[in-house]
Amino acid sequence: MHIRYAVDSLGTAYYGNADSSDSEESAYHFDYLLVLLTATLDETALQVADHHQLKMRRDRVSMRPPRKGQTGGDHVDFYNQVCAANPKLSELWMQSAAFLQLLYSLRDTAAHLEILGQFASDYIPRYSGQHMIAIDLSNWTTRHGETAQEMFEEAVDLPSPFEPCTSLGVLPIGPAQTALRLSFLVEPYHFSVEAWSRVGYLLNESAKLIGSPIQIQDTVDDPKNWLRNWTRTFKDEALDGLPLDTPGF
């Protein structure tokens, strides 16, 4: 529930930012979102450890995958035990390894090491006049030396032709940004929507593979019929208690 609050708050700032306070609000909600997303993943990892009775200290259990080439350590030990107990679950997690590394690395910065690059409002050349709130990852690197560009590319960050950014929120860099020595900007709302979608998928699929109930329910029963779903949600929730005659729905 708090993850969805954070995503909605970032969306409010994205669609209606009016002053500098929105940048501070977005910074808060983005940092909090990173902590919440990784916390839900680690809680699922604990459920897996309990289900399979894995021999790991609880404070060493995490869905964070081992780095490429890593041969020892808690993450390697835990993933090896998961693979032995439930190969399909290990395969599921490893398919998202690059995204998980990105998410946990951003969380590490916000929670342990330093403040992420200041949010800045700027104009995006492709959308003249659109005021953007963005996180500056131009000089950000993980504690192992990977750059933001490397991490986002590994996480399969796809183009979004009808949005001002990629699927994970990476914004185009134009002359104005280059003049300010900005080379990597991320729009937090689009990142949060995509990250929550990927995390929700991992939570549900992991639950299925250990015989647990689905953890994140869809909010609509027919995703393709958006008009019917929107009208039903509006009637049933937004105007609860008020008469509303909607023939055919």
Side-chain angles (χ1 to χ4, degrees):
M1 181 173 65
H2 285 186
I3 289 172
R4 285 171 168 161
Y5 286 162
V7 173
D8 286 347
S9 296
L10 289 168
T12 299
Y14 172 74
Y15 286 111
N17 64 88
D19 54 50
S20 60
S21 65
D22 288 321
S23 297
E24 296 178 7
E25 287 284 323
S26 292
Y28 165 76
H29 289 295
F30 185 73
D31 286 350
Y32 187 41
L33 179 76
L34 294 173
V35 173
L36 290 175
L37 289 174
T38 51
T40 58
L41 293 169
D42 286 347
E43 173 58 28
T44 298
L46 283 168
Q47 293 175 17
V48 169
D50 290 341
H51 177 79
H52 289 295
Q53 299 181 331
L54 303 182
K55 296 179 179 179
M56 286 286 296
R57 283 176 47 183
R58 294 182 67 81
D59 61 347
R60 297 290 187 265
V61 171
S62 173
M63 201 182 292
R64 182 175 196 153
R67 291 180 292 107
K68 289 181 179 178
Q70 186 177 354
T71 58
D74 293 327
H75 300 311
V76 173
D77 292 344
F78 180 61
Y79 265 71
N80 285 343
Q81 289 192 44
V82 172
C83 184
N86 195 329
K88 289 185 178 180
L89 184 59
S90 175
E91 181 181 358
L92 170 71
W93 292 0
M94 288 306 298
Q95 287 173 348
S96 295
F99 166 70
L100 291 172
Q101 286 286 16
L102 169 64
L103 191 62
Y104 277 92
S105 295
L106 288 171
R107 188 283 309 268
D108 286 350
T109 303
H112 299 300
L113 301 176
E114 62 186 88
I115 296 174
L116 287 168
Q118 293 294 317
F119 281 72
S121 297
D122 207 345
Y123 293 96
I124 300 302
R126 284 177 57 196
Y127 287 74
S128 179
Q130 183 169 358
H131 213 203
M132 286 284 182
I133 296 173
I135 181 171
D136 177 18
L137 296 180
S138 302
N139 299 314
W140 177 77
T141 58
T142 71
R143 54 183 162 181
H144 300 291
E146 298 97 341
T147 67
Q149 183 170 347
E150 291 170 341
M151 297 293 285
F152 275 79
E153 287 178 353
E154 284 283 327
V156 192
D157 186 22
L158 301 175
S160 298
F162 301 108
E163 300 291 345
C165 55
T166 66
S167 60
L168 281 170
V170 177
L171 290 163
I173 298 297
Q177 291 76 35
T178 302
L180 293 173
R181 298 183 180 179
L182 301 173
S183 59
F184 203 94
L185 297 175
V186 174
E187 195 287 299
Y189 172 60
H190 285 84
F191 177 93
S192 71
V193 171
E194 178 68 12
W196 175 226
S197 175
R198 296 191 191 193
V199 169
Y201 171 78
L202 285 169
L203 296 179
N204 283 343
E205 294 303 308
S206 297
K208 290 178 185 177
L209 290 171
I210 61 172
S212 296
I214 297 300
Q215 299 187 32
I216 308 299
Q217 299 292 339
D218 290 334
T219 56
V220 295
D221 56 6
D222 182 6
K224 294 182 180 179
N225 193 343
W226 67 268
L227 176 60
R228 182 170 185 268
N229 284 315
W230 183 88
T231 305
R232 177 184 294 149
T233 300
F234 187 73
K235 177 180 177 182
D236 293 346
E237 298 177 12
L239 299 182
D240 189 23
L242 297 177
L244 179 64
D245 184 13
T246 344
F249 292 93

